[in-house]
Each structure stands twice: as structure tokens, then as C-alpha cells.
Amino acid sequence: MHTLRLRDREFRPGEHAVMAVVNRTPDSFYDRGRTFGFDAALAAVGEAVAAGADIVDIGGVKAGPGDTVDPAEEIRRVAGLVAAVREAHPDLVISVDTWRAEVGEVVAGAGADLLNDTWGGPDPGLAEVAAKHGIGLVCAHAGGVIPRTRPHRIGYRDVVADVVSHTVALAERAVRAGVREDAILIDPAHDFGKNTWHSLEVGRRLGELVDTGWPVLVAVSNKDFVGETLGGLPVDERHAGTIATLAVSAWQGARVFRVHDAASARAALATVGALRPRPGGQL
């Protein structure tokens, strides 16, 4: 398995990295715009770092359907924040949640260390940007759907096999484009181009992604499949289900965890790390 290297940090197999979410969006499904303001977003980054986050993932576009956000507006929302975070936290790994190469180019210049493409590679130029700047790339699976859309019905012969083949192909494409192998992650992208059954099946069989050797990122925090699994719980009541899903994912070998509550994730992952058998059966 690859050691993941981002900025000056190394995340070895068996180690867990917490990626905290900070969205500069007025319509985030989770915080409803609480960190849309620049000062609020910068303060949220500081809070996440204090809570144990290794990586902060900055986003400027709501994942789901909503108001149109063109590249210029996305850049306006995230580029200045990335620069300010880099100045305030020189050692922090900064990720930017975008699928657009033109946005990636600007934020890489502002100090980003990782481009988090949750939409499965619709813009091949994003890998070229990561290669040019020597930064990382997340290769995700979204079932081929158009960014910010939710398919009415989607089906797979085997959803996990589809996730594995697509993410590995994207990772290999990124390597051919010049992205460092040790700066690439794969992400099954729960709920993206998937219904609840699909997301649960991915969670059950996450080890198949881990077995590819690529570091696996999971982004399950407060997602719809968690709420639906627990009987239709609203976003603000999905915390326990989120932590359970993180623990199961960590036990199977996932390495990076994108979350809204960095402190709880850090504690849960530390517990999993203490419980998992160590190599050679050492105590």
C-alpha cells in the first residue's frame, strides 16, 4: 500500500487522517451558510485545526442542485480563503473541493495541496493541474452523472466493482498525466450517483477498494444514506450514524475521513486504531 504524502506530511498505511469540511457556500446542506462569510470560514478552519484536523477541505459550490455558481464565483469564494489559511496555518494540508481545472489552477497557486474532485473526473484537465503544481488529487466515483445533479434512478450490475474500476482507472490516468503516485487517493463517493442501498453496499465492501493499494478517502459525514438508514433522520440527528460508519470504514482500512466534526472523528479513529490488531500480533 502507498504512503500518502501531502505537503510535508506523511500518512502511512494504518494511520488515519481527519479532513475537516469548511464550505464557503450560502446553501450548504449541513450548516446552511454558517461559514459562508470570509471571517467565519477562516475561524472555522482554526477551530478544525484545534480539534485535530490534519487536512481542511474548502468548498465553494454546494454539491447538490441549487443556484448556478460559475467558475469565476467559485474562485472568488475559495481562492482568497486558501491564501489566508496558508498564511495562518503554514503546515496545514489544504484541500479544495472542485471538479474544474480552471479553479484548480488558481487555488493551487494560492497554496492548495490537494484537489478533491468528488464528481469522478468530468474535467481531465484537473489532473494536469495537479501534476503541474506537484499537488495531490482525489479520484472519485459518481456513476458518470453531471456535477450537481441527482439521477432519478441509477443501477449497477455490481456497484462496488464499478467503483473500483472507475477510481483505479482515474488514478492510473492521473499518474500518466504526471501526478505523483503518493499524492493520489480514491473515494467511493457515497451518495454521489448512488442510492442508499448502493452506499451501504460500498460501506460493507470497502475493503475491496483498500485492496487496490490506493489510499481510500471516505466522505460519509451526515449524508442522506445515513439518515435514510436510520428511518429518515434529519441532518442534525445523523451524528451517531456518521461515527459508526467512520469506525467501520477505518476498521476496513480507509485512511482519510472527510467530516464536519473533527474532534469526534479524531476520538473515534483513535479508538479504532487502539482496537485493531497490530502487525505480528504485538500488544
Side-chain angles (χ1 to χ4, degrees):
M1 291 187 181
H2 300 299
T3 292
L4 177 66
R5 295 180 174 88
L6 298 170
R7 198 162 184 81
D8 296 324
R9 297 288 306 276
E10 286 192 353
F11 305 98
R12 297 178 177 84
E15 296 179 343
H16 301 138
V18 173
M19 172 189 276
V21 181
V22 176
N23 285 323
R24 281 212 69 199
T25 57
D27 50 0
S28 165
F29 89 97
Y30 178 71
D31 65 20
R32 309 298 181 187
R34 183 182 69 84
T35 56
F36 181 49
F38 185 91
D39 291 342
L42 187 58
V45 172
E47 292 165 5
V49 172
D54 303 288
I55 305 167
V56 170
D57 190 44
I58 296 169
V61 183
K62 177 184 176 182
D67 293 342
T68 299
V69 180
D70 64 20
E73 174 61 14
E74 184 180 359
I75 289 169
R76 188 192 71 78
R77 293 179 180 183
V78 300
L81 180 60
V82 169
V85 171
R86 173 54 60 229
E87 182 177 1
H89 305 279
D91 300 324
L92 179 66
V93 177
I94 301 174
S95 171
V96 174
D97 180 355
T98 187
W99 73 91
R100 293 164 164 159
E102 58 196 298
V103 177
E105 179 68 34
V106 175
V107 299
D113 306 298
L114 179 66
L115 300 175
N116 181 15
D117 174 14
T118 59
W119 290 104
D123 186 346
L126 196 66
E128 296 172 5
V129 170
K132 172 184 173 182
H133 291 274
I135 62 176
L137 182 69
V138 176
C139 299
H141 174 279
V145 303
I146 298 170
R148 304 196 67 201
T149 64
R150 291 176 177 162
H152 175 58
R153 291 186 179 179
I154 191 164
Y156 303 93
R157 185 182 298 275
D158 182 331
V159 64
V160 177
D162 202 88
V163 168
V164 169
S165 64
H166 183 78
T167 56
V168 169
L170 284 180
E172 292 173 346
R173 186 180 78 178
V175 172
R176 291 193 298 271
V179 183
R180 299 191 337 264
E181 282 194 32
D182 61 2
I184 296 172
L185 302 94
I186 61 174
D187 173 11
H190 296 72
D191 277 2
F192 281 67
K194 302 170 189 68
N195 60 29
T196 291
W197 189 92
H198 296 139
S199 291
L200 289 172
E201 184 69 359
V202 167
R204 295 183 191 105
R205 296 167 55 190
L206 197 71
E208 293 177 39
L209 275 79
V210 173
D211 287 345
T212 67
W214 295 103
V216 174
L217 180 153
V218 291
V220 299
S221 187
N222 299 297
K223 282 193 170 179
D224 286 347
F225 84 93
V226 174
E228 187 170 331
T229 297
L230 297 176
L233 292 181
V235 172
D236 59 358
E237 295 180 24
R238 298 173 184 172
H239 180 70
T242 293
I243 294 300
T245 308
L246 289 179
V248 170
S249 301
W251 191 270
Q252 293 183 79
R255 307 264 290 279
V256 179
F257 303 83
R258 185 178 184 271
V259 298
H260 296 100
D261 183 342
S264 292
R266 183 88 276 162
L269 295 171
T271 305
V272 172
L275 287 168
R276 285 195 71 187
R278 298 184 181 182
Q282 297 176 358
L283 296 179

